[in-house]
PDB file of all heavy atoms in Angstrom:
ATOM      1  N   LEU T 125      -5.221  20.819  -0.293  1.00  0.00           N
ATOM      2  CA  LEU T 125      -4.531  20.152  -1.394  1.00  0.00           C
ATOM      3  C   LEU T 125      -5.342  20.254  -2.679  1.00  0.00           C
ATOM      4  O   LEU T 125      -4.802  20.525  -3.757  1.00  0.00           O
ATOM      5  CB  LEU T 125      -4.276  18.682  -1.035  1.00  0.00           C
ATOM      6  CG  LEU T 125      -3.397  17.878  -1.991  1.00  0.00           C
ATOM      7  CD1 LEU T 125      -1.964  18.416  -1.977  1.00  0.00           C
ATOM      8  CD2 LEU T 125      -3.397  16.399  -1.629  1.00  0.00           C
ATOM      9  N   TYR T 126      -6.638  20.066  -2.568  1.00  0.00           N
ATOM     10  CA  TYR T 126      -7.531  20.156  -3.731  1.00  0.00           C
ATOM     11  C   TYR T 126      -7.464  21.552  -4.344  1.00  0.00           C
ATOM     12  O   TYR T 126      -7.326  21.704  -5.556  1.00  0.00           O
ATOM     13  CB  TYR T 126      -8.955  19.818  -3.302  1.00  0.00           C
ATOM     14  CG  TYR T 126      -9.901  19.521  -4.443  1.00  0.00           C
ATOM     15  CD1 TYR T 126     -10.128  18.213  -4.866  1.00  0.00           C
ATOM     16  CD2 TYR T 126     -10.567  20.550  -5.108  1.00  0.00           C
ATOM     17  CE1 TYR T 126     -10.997  17.936  -5.912  1.00  0.00           C
ATOM     18  CE2 TYR T 126     -11.425  20.289  -6.164  1.00  0.00           C
ATOM     19  CZ  TYR T 126     -11.651  18.972  -6.553  1.00  0.00           C
ATOM     20  OH  TYR T 126     -12.497  18.712  -7.600  1.00  0.00           O
ATOM     21  N   ASP T 127      -7.552  22.576  -3.479  1.00  0.00           N
ATOM     22  CA  ASP T 127      -7.514  23.961  -3.959  1.00  0.00           C
ATOM     23  C   ASP T 127      -6.163  24.323  -4.569  1.00  0.00           C
ATOM     24  O   ASP T 127      -6.095  25.168  -5.477  1.00  0.00           O
ATOM     25  CB  ASP T 127      -7.826  24.927  -2.810  1.00  0.00           C
ATOM     26  CG  ASP T 127      -9.275  24.832  -2.350  1.00  0.00           C
ATOM     27  OD1 ASP T 127     -10.102  24.291  -3.109  1.00  0.00           O
ATOM     28  OD2 ASP T 127      -9.568  25.274  -1.221  1.00  0.00           O
ATOM     29  N   ALA T 128      -5.099  23.688  -4.071  1.00  0.00           N
ATOM     30  CA  ALA T 128      -3.755  23.987  -4.563  1.00  0.00           C
ATOM     31  C   ALA T 128      -3.431  23.226  -5.846  1.00  0.00           C
ATOM     32  O   ALA T 128      -2.364  23.431  -6.433  1.00  0.00           O
ATOM     33  CB  ALA T 128      -2.722  23.650  -3.490  1.00  0.00           C
ATOM     34  N   GLY T 129      -4.330  22.345  -6.264  1.00  0.00           N
ATOM     35  CA  GLY T 129      -4.107  21.597  -7.497  1.00  0.00           C
ATOM     36  C   GLY T 129      -3.357  20.299  -7.324  1.00  0.00           C
ATOM     37  O   GLY T 129      -2.944  19.673  -8.305  1.00  0.00           O
ATOM     38  N   GLY T 130      -3.184  19.887  -6.065  1.00  0.00           N
ATOM     39  CA  GLY T 130      -2.493  18.623  -5.803  1.00  0.00           C
ATOM     40  C   GLY T 130      -3.422  17.430  -5.934  1.00  0.00           C
ATOM     41  O   GLY T 130      -4.626  17.574  -6.179  1.00  0.00           O
ATOM     42  N   ASN T 131      -2.855  16.254  -5.761  1.00  0.00           N
ATOM     43  CA  ASN T 131      -3.621  15.018  -5.870  1.00  0.00           C
ATOM     44  C   ASN T 131      -3.489  14.205  -4.589  1.00  0.00           C
ATOM     45  O   ASN T 131      -2.475  14.292  -3.883  1.00  0.00           O
ATOM     46  CB  ASN T 131      -3.130  14.183  -7.052  1.00  0.00           C
ATOM     47  CG  ASN T 131      -3.295  14.909  -8.371  1.00  0.00           C
ATOM     48  OD1 ASN T 131      -4.399  15.135  -8.834  1.00  0.00           O
ATOM     49  ND2 ASN T 131      -2.177  15.306  -8.976  1.00  0.00           N
ATOM     50  N   MET T 132      -4.513  13.399  -4.312  1.00  0.00           N
ATOM     51  CA  MET T 132      -4.528  12.614  -3.090  1.00  0.00           C
ATOM     52  C   MET T 132      -5.015  11.201  -3.388  1.00  0.00           C
ATOM     53  O   MET T 132      -5.974  10.997  -4.123  1.00  0.00           O
ATOM     54  CB  MET T 132      -5.442  13.289  -2.049  1.00  0.00           C
ATOM     55  CG  MET T 132      -5.559  12.537  -0.737  1.00  0.00           C
ATOM     56  SD  MET T 132      -6.619  13.413   0.467  1.00  0.00           S
ATOM     57  CE  MET T 132      -5.466  14.645   1.074  1.00  0.00           C
ATOM     58  N   ILE T 133      -4.319  10.232  -2.825  1.00  0.00           N
ATOM     59  CA  ILE T 133      -4.756   8.835  -2.882  1.00  0.00           C
ATOM     60  C   ILE T 133      -4.880   8.344  -1.448  1.00  0.00           C
ATOM     61  O   ILE T 133      -3.957   8.497  -0.647  1.00  0.00           O
ATOM     62  CB  ILE T 133      -3.762   7.958  -3.664  1.00  0.00           C
ATOM     63  CG1 ILE T 133      -3.568   8.498  -5.084  1.00  0.00           C
ATOM     64  CG2 ILE T 133      -4.265   6.511  -3.724  1.00  0.00           C
ATOM     65  CD1 ILE T 133      -2.468   7.791  -5.864  1.00  0.00           C
ATOM     66  N   ILE T 134      -6.037   7.797  -1.130  1.00  0.00           N
ATOM     67  CA  ILE T 134      -6.349   7.391   0.235  1.00  0.00           C
ATOM     68  C   ILE T 134      -6.722   5.923   0.240  1.00  0.00           C
ATOM     69  O   ILE T 134      -7.363   5.427  -0.685  1.00  0.00           O
ATOM     70  CB  ILE T 134      -7.521   8.230   0.794  1.00  0.00           C
ATOM     71  CG1 ILE T 134      -7.170   9.718   0.761  1.00  0.00           C
ATOM     72  CG2 ILE T 134      -7.881   7.805   2.208  1.00  0.00           C
ATOM     73  CD1 ILE T 134      -8.351  10.628   0.980  1.00  0.00           C
ATOM     74  N   ALA T 135      -6.332   5.219   1.300  1.00  0.00           N
ATOM     75  CA  ALA T 135      -6.698   3.808   1.419  1.00  0.00           C
ATOM     76  C   ALA T 135      -7.252   3.527   2.813  1.00  0.00           C
ATOM     77  O   ALA T 135      -6.804   4.101   3.814  1.00  0.00           O
ATOM     78  CB  ALA T 135      -5.491   2.913   1.153  1.00  0.00           C
ATOM     79  N   ALA T 136      -8.238   2.646   2.865  1.00  0.00           N
ATOM     80  CA  ALA T 136      -8.835   2.210   4.127  1.00  0.00           C
ATOM     81  C   ALA T 136      -9.357   0.801   3.935  1.00  0.00           C
ATOM     82  O   ALA T 136      -9.347   0.251   2.837  1.00  0.00           O
ATOM     83  CB  ALA T 136      -9.953   3.165   4.551  1.00  0.00           C
ATOM     84  N   ASN T 137      -9.838   0.215   5.029  1.00  0.00           N
ATOM     85  CA  ASN T 137     -10.275  -1.173   4.954  1.00  0.00           C
ATOM     86  C   ASN T 137     -11.727  -1.342   4.531  1.00  0.00           C
ATOM     87  O   ASN T 137     -12.238  -2.463   4.478  1.00  0.00           O
ATOM     88  CB  ASN T 137     -10.033  -1.887   6.290  1.00  0.00           C
ATOM     89  CG  ASN T 137     -10.832  -1.286   7.433  1.00  0.00           C
ATOM     90  OD1 ASN T 137     -11.603  -0.353   7.244  1.00  0.00           O
ATOM     91  ND2 ASN T 137     -10.656  -1.820   8.636  1.00  0.00           N
ATOM     92  N   ASP T 138     -12.398  -0.218   4.252  1.00  0.00           N
ATOM     93  CA  ASP T 138     -13.791  -0.315   3.798  1.00  0.00           C
ATOM     94  C   ASP T 138     -14.167   0.988   3.090  1.00  0.00           C
ATOM     95  O   ASP T 138     -13.369   1.926   3.006  1.00  0.00           O
ATOM     96  CB  ASP T 138     -14.734  -0.572   4.975  1.00  0.00           C
ATOM     97  CG  ASP T 138     -15.970  -1.380   4.586  1.00  0.00           C
ATOM     98  OD1 ASP T 138     -16.355  -1.327   3.388  1.00  0.00           O
ATOM     99  OD2 ASP T 138     -16.556  -2.050   5.452  1.00  0.00           O
ATOM    100  N   LEU T 139     -15.385   1.042   2.601  1.00  0.00           N
ATOM    101  CA  LEU T 139     -15.871   2.220   1.887  1.00  0.00           C
ATOM    102  C   LEU T 139     -15.972   3.428   2.825  1.00  0.00           C
ATOM    103  O   LEU T 139     -16.089   3.262   4.050  1.00  0.00           O
ATOM    104  CB  LEU T 139     -17.245   1.915   1.282  1.00  0.00           C
ATOM    105  CG  LEU T 139     -17.260   0.798   0.224  1.00  0.00           C
ATOM    106  CD1 LEU T 139     -18.701   0.413  -0.097  1.00  0.00           C
ATOM    107  CD2 LEU T 139     -16.539   1.241  -1.035  1.00  0.00           C
ATOM    108  N   PRO T 140     -15.936   4.653   2.283  1.00  0.00           N
ATOM    109  CA  PRO T 140     -15.958   5.850   3.130  1.00  0.00           C
ATOM    110  C   PRO T 140     -17.111   5.882   4.141  1.00  0.00           C
ATOM    111  O   PRO T 140     -16.912   6.313   5.277  1.00  0.00           O
ATOM    112  CB  PRO T 140     -16.090   6.990   2.106  1.00  0.00           C
ATOM    113  CG  PRO T 140     -15.456   6.464   0.877  1.00  0.00           C
ATOM    114  CD  PRO T 140     -15.791   4.996   0.846  1.00  0.00           C
ATOM    115  N   LYS T 141     -18.276   5.438   3.725  1.00  0.00           N
ATOM    116  CA  LYS T 141     -19.428   5.492   4.622  1.00  0.00           C
ATOM    117  C   LYS T 141     -19.449   4.355   5.639  1.00  0.00           C
ATOM    118  O   LYS T 141     -20.330   4.313   6.502  1.00  0.00           O
ATOM    119  CB  LYS T 141     -20.730   5.470   3.805  1.00  0.00           C
ATOM    120  CG  LYS T 141     -20.920   6.708   2.940  1.00  0.00           C
ATOM    121  CD  LYS T 141     -22.237   6.662   2.175  1.00  0.00           C
ATOM    122  CE  LYS T 141     -22.428   7.917   1.330  1.00  0.00           C
ATOM    123  NZ  LYS T 141     -23.689   7.892   0.546  1.00  0.00           N
ATOM    124  N   SER T 142     -18.477   3.444   5.548  1.00  0.00           N
ATOM    125  CA  SER T 142     -18.504   2.254   6.407  1.00  0.00           C
ATOM    126  C   SER T 142     -17.349   2.172   7.394  1.00  0.00           C
ATOM    127  O   SER T 142     -17.219   1.176   8.104  1.00  0.00           O
ATOM    128  CB  SER T 142     -18.500   0.994   5.539  1.00  0.00           C
ATOM    129  OG  SER T 142     -19.599   0.973   4.654  1.00  0.00           O
ATOM    130  N   ILE T 143     -16.508   3.209   7.462  1.00  0.00           N
ATOM    131  CA  ILE T 143     -15.365   3.135   8.379  1.00  0.00           C
ATOM    132  C   ILE T 143     -15.598   3.950   9.650  1.00  0.00           C
ATOM    133  O   ILE T 143     -14.678   4.183  10.426  1.00  0.00           O
ATOM    134  CB  ILE T 143     -14.056   3.566   7.691  1.00  0.00           C
ATOM    135  CG1 ILE T 143     -14.124   5.001   7.162  1.00  0.00           C
ATOM    136  CG2 ILE T 143     -13.694   2.597   6.576  1.00  0.00           C
ATOM    137  CD1 ILE T 143     -12.793   5.498   6.611  1.00  0.00           C
ATOM    138  N   HIS T 144     -16.845   4.389   9.833  1.00  0.00           N
ATOM    139  CA  HIS T 144     -17.282   5.011  11.092  1.00  0.00           C
ATOM    140  C   HIS T 144     -16.624   6.362  11.390  1.00  0.00           C
ATOM    141  O   HIS T 144     -16.374   6.704  12.548  1.00  0.00           O
ATOM    142  CB  HIS T 144     -17.052   4.063  12.271  1.00  0.00           C
ATOM    143  CG  HIS T 144     -17.626   2.690  12.050  1.00  0.00           C
ATOM    144  ND1 HIS T 144     -18.987   2.484  11.886  1.00  0.00           N
ATOM    145  CD2 HIS T 144     -17.035   1.475  11.921  1.00  0.00           C
ATOM    146  CE1 HIS T 144     -19.205   1.189  11.685  1.00  0.00           C
ATOM    147  NE2 HIS T 144     -18.046   0.559  11.692  1.00  0.00           N
TER     148      HIS T 144
END
Side-chain angles (χ1 to χ4, degrees):
L125 188 66
Y126 195 94
D127 291 342
N131 299 292
M132 179 178 280
I133 303 173
I134 302 167
N137 63 2
D138 210 334
L139 297 169
K141 294 181 179 179
S142 302
I143 59 174
H144 309 297

